[in-house]
Amino acid sequence: MSLRIDVDRESCIGSGVCLVYAPNTFVHDDDAKAVVVDGAPDDLESIQNAVQGCPTRALRLIVEDEF
Amino acid sequence: MSEQPVLDRDRMRELFDLRNSIVMFTGGNYTDDPYPIWHELRDQAPVHAGTPHELNGIEDDLFFHGLPFPEWPHFTAFSWTACDEAYRNDIVFASSATAVDPEYEGGLRGYESSLLTMGGAEHRRYRSLVQPSFVPAKAQWWITNWMQATVDALIDTILEEGRGELNVDFCAAIPVITITGSFGIPVHQALDVRETVSDPQKMIEFLVPIVEARRDEPADDLISVLVEAEYTDEDGKIHRLSDREIYSFATLLLAAGSGTTWKQMGITLAALLQRPDVLAAVRDDRSLLKPAIEESLRWMPTDPAFARWVAEDIDFHGTHIPRGSILHINLGAANRDPSRWDRPDEYDIYRPLKPSLAFGSGPHVCLGMHVARAEMTTGIGALLDRLPNLRLDPDAEPPSPLGFYERGVMEIPVVFDA
Ligand code: HEM
């Protein structure tokens, strides 16, 4: 199983909610847009909280089964 | 230690009296626990006709976001799902009356054209100008420049006394001084500025010379950021904020960021002091301060209800809401929805961390949430560092919450080993 997190830069307003719930997985760039850290080091529950908590639904979590 | 002049305590007490005339309009004399009624109402239906205070049996005419608007029908959402959905659907649930009726005049006087009431692309554009100064990575900038010295100076004044009152003499002071400081207003004027909170025009008089000075020569403060902020419109033309736009934003920040953070810090401190074992745990393991603050925001958000203006007819969670209504989002009730949290009425800092609606959601989610968190962390952290054996004064009345649309505690009398 592997995780992919998509950030929709159009919808992202830079609220920083994702950085509260998954502080090791998300950072902001200079335009205050969320960027995903390589390897998304937080546990799945924290990442799910960040994704669901995003006020503008700019994050999408895709769990891919590996063959 | 710090050189910062200390604030006049008597004046502080007058300005920050939760029972003063301004706060009375938002239900300042309400001392009941509103949550049992919210549980009952949410059990009956996720959405009810009526304003939040009417539904709680308050007959006075109260004023707050979306109130009174007597000629509009009112509805209130109580469940997590309904509140969360309303917040995220800003097409149907708009942040200003003019989204529904462009001719509408009245309502939030002074804030008609601020971030709080804008919509769509205009809101996005303005918000993107200021958001970079309010991100988590900027918290340290706020702490170093405008919080730490104030926090230290306030503790210095009570340190030798072995006792103190933390709600007005500590919690209330920090947010005002932080925000006015970020505007470049010196501490000794902070209270004069706070007095103007209900009179935006007077507040502007303080800002005029500062905005002018920063246009000439920018400094390391928020007004300079606003003066220098640029956006490019659809035609590729570069715009800067006008003086008027800067005044309006500054006025909003003071209104939105001082009373809220003060009261939330008081609620958090009172919750901890009333649970000495939890307080001791946080003192010993400072990583517990974050969950203690997040849990206070969930359990007792200082502002439990914000409003939206309904721009289209909608069948919403079993209730038909006609266009031209006002929907109140009772986020206080949503934050204790048993379908989302076990034992929702318990203040439990060990529960799994999950997003609440204390800072709202959708495009108008609180801009100052990381500043507010930094203020509470810095303030409470410093009290725990510097006041050994901090505890409630056993001879005084214990703090108890009051208020309806703006909730907080009156006094937090404490003693400690001097
Ligand atoms: C614990 C303290 C605070 C709480 C509980 C709080 C809560 C909220 C809530 C619920 C909203 C959404 C209002 C709505 O739904 O219409 C909001 C918006 C806002 N807050 Fe806060 N707030 C706090 C502190 C602050 C601070 C410290 C600042 C500024 C330094 C601030 C600035 C704002 C602004 C500018 C908005 C409007 C954002 C927009 O419309 O895009 N708040 N706040």
Side-chain angles (χ1 to χ4, degrees):
Chain A
M1 198 188 78
S2 76
L3 289 182
R4 210 180 80 217
I5 304 161
D6 283 351
V7 182
D8 175 1
R9 290 180 62 87
E10 272 299 297
S11 330
C12 175
I13 58 165
S15 73
V17 169
C18 55
L19 280 75
V20 172
Y21 296 98
N24 305 305
T25 299
F26 296 96
V27 291
H28 277 147
D29 67 13
D30 288 346
D31 299 326
K33 300 280 180 189
V35 174
V36 180
V37 173
D38 270 353
D42 290 293
D43 57 49
L44 182 59
E45 201 182 320
S46 303
I47 294 173
Q48 279 168 334
N49 278 330
V51 169
Q52 285 158 12
C54 173
T56 55
R57 296 216 169 95
L59 302 175
R60 223 154 57 98
L61 177 64
I62 300 147
V63 182
E64 289 163 331
D65 282 320
E66 275 169 334
F67 294 97
Chain B
M1 293 220 60
S2 77
E3 303 276 307
Q4 210 121 18
V6 172
L7 298 165
D8 174 349
R9 257 196 219 178
D10 292 336
R11 199 149 157 241
M12 289 279 298
R13 290 195 175 144
E14 205 176 297
L15 275 173
F16 294 99
D17 179 358
L18 266 177
R19 290 182 202 256
N20 78 17
S21 57
I22 296 170
V23 188
M24 287 309 280
F25 284 120
T26 69
N29 58 348
Y30 185 82
T31 50
D32 292 349
D33 178 3
Y35 285 94
I37 297 177
W38 291 348
H39 281 309
E40 244 171 73
L41 290 164
R42 189 188 42 237
D43 283 349
Q44 288 162 16
V47 179
H48 289 258
T51 65
H53 66 279
E54 280 165 9
L55 288 161
N56 268 64
I58 300 173
E59 284 165 16
D60 303 342
D61 292 327
L62 299 188
F63 292 80
F64 196 64
H65 197 218
L67 290 168
F69 289 85
E71 68 283 22
W72 300 50
H74 291 257
F75 294 84
T76 303
F78 288 88
S79 71
W80 168 268
T81 319
C83 291
D84 186 56
E85 237 178 87
Y87 256 136
R88 290 163 183 280
N89 184 350
D90 63 321
I91 308 281
V92 174
F93 301 109
S95 282
S96 111
T98 50
V100 180
D101 174 5
E103 306 289 299
Y104 192 83
E105 282 176 30
L108 298 166
R109 218 151 283 126
Y111 305 100
E112 292 90 348
S113 61
S114 75
L115 201 61
L116 190 67
T117 53
M118 287 174 188
E122 188 192 28
H123 175 261
R124 274 187 69 86
R125 196 169 61 220
Y126 271 85
R127 181 136 179 166
S128 70
L129 289 181
V130 291
Q131 185 72 58
S133 300
F134 291 85
V135 292
K138 275 281 183 202
Q140 199 53 51
W141 181 67
W142 285 86
I143 294 172
T144 312
N145 289 340
W146 303 298
M147 291 176 201
Q148 195 67 58
T150 302
V151 166
D152 290 341
L154 290 169
I155 297 182
D156 287 345
T157 64
I158 55 168
L159 197 57
E160 319 252 279
E161 295 171 23
R163 60 176 58 245
E165 190 291 301
L166 296 181
N167 189 46
V168 171
D169 296 349
F170 187 76
C171 298
I174 297 166
V176 195
I177 298 175
T178 300
I179 295 180
T180 51
S182 78
F183 296 166
I185 295 171
V187 175
H188 68 268
Q189 281 184 357
L191 292 187
D192 300 332
V193 177
R194 161 74 199 191
E195 246 170 355
T196 68
V197 81
S198 53
D199 185 351
Q201 204 46 50
K202 265 177 129 173
M203 152 103 191
I204 291 173
E205 289 168 22
F206 285 93
L207 291 169
V208 171
I210 298 175
V211 173
E212 206 179 284
R214 299 300 185 273
R215 286 213 189 273
D216 283 345
E217 193 178 339
D220 187 23
D221 61 18
L222 193 67
I223 299 294
S224 305
V225 172
L226 300 175
V227 160
E228 296 194 297
E230 290 183 340
Y231 70 88
T232 313
D233 70 12
E234 295 79 12
D235 306 326
K237 217 172 132 214
I238 290 174
H239 294 263
R240 288 193 164 196
L241 293 176
S242 68
D243 287 359
R244 185 134 285 288
E245 286 166 328
I246 293 176
Y247 303 150
S248 135
F249 180 65
T251 311
L252 171 65
L253 279 190
L254 194 69
S258 48
T260 44
T261 315
W262 150 37
K263 281 170 238 165
Q264 198 69 52
M265 192 173 341
I267 289 168
T268 311
L269 265 173
L272 290 172
L273 286 159
Q274 282 171 320
R275 294 165 182 77
D277 51 325
V278 183
L279 182 70
V282 175
R283 183 200 298 279
D284 294 344
D285 175 2
R286 219 41 78 70
S287 72
L288 291 174
L289 188 49
K290 174 176 172 176
I293 290 169
E294 297 304 316
E295 175 67 348
S296 132
L297 285 158
R298 178 199 73 81
W299 176 72
M300 200 173 288
T302 175
D303 291 356
F306 282 90
R308 289 297 183 264
W309 285 261
V310 182
E312 291 169 21
D313 283 357
I314 186 169
D315 288 313
F316 194 61
H317 294 267
T319 299
H320 180 76
I321 305 182
R323 177 193 143 83
S325 306
I326 291 174
L327 176 70
H328 300 267
I329 300 176
N330 190 329
L331 59 91
N335 276 1
R336 293 200 194 182
D337 188 329
S339 72
R340 187 169 168 87
W341 283 282
D342 296 334
R343 303 165 286 105
D345 293 321
E346 269 175 49
Y347 176 77
D348 175 6
I349 71 166
Y350 300 104
R351 64 171 76 243
L353 194 60
K354 241 187 211 180
S356 84
L357 288 178
F359 289 117
S361 188
H364 289 274
V365 72
C366 180
L367 176 73
M369 64 167 85
H370 308 293
V371 175
R373 285 176 167 119
E375 286 175 282
M376 292 190 272
T377 310
T378 308
I380 299 173
L383 291 172
L384 293 177
D385 284 340
R386 297 189 55 201
L387 305 180
N389 196 15
L390 178 68
R391 58 203 185 275
L392 281 179
D393 181 347
D395 301 326
E397 280 286 304
S400 71
L402 84 166
F404 191 78
Y405 288 111
E406 295 178 304
R407 299 176 56 71
V409 295
M410 271 295 273
E411 285 184 340
I412 310 177
V414 292
V415 291
F416 46 89
D417 300 345

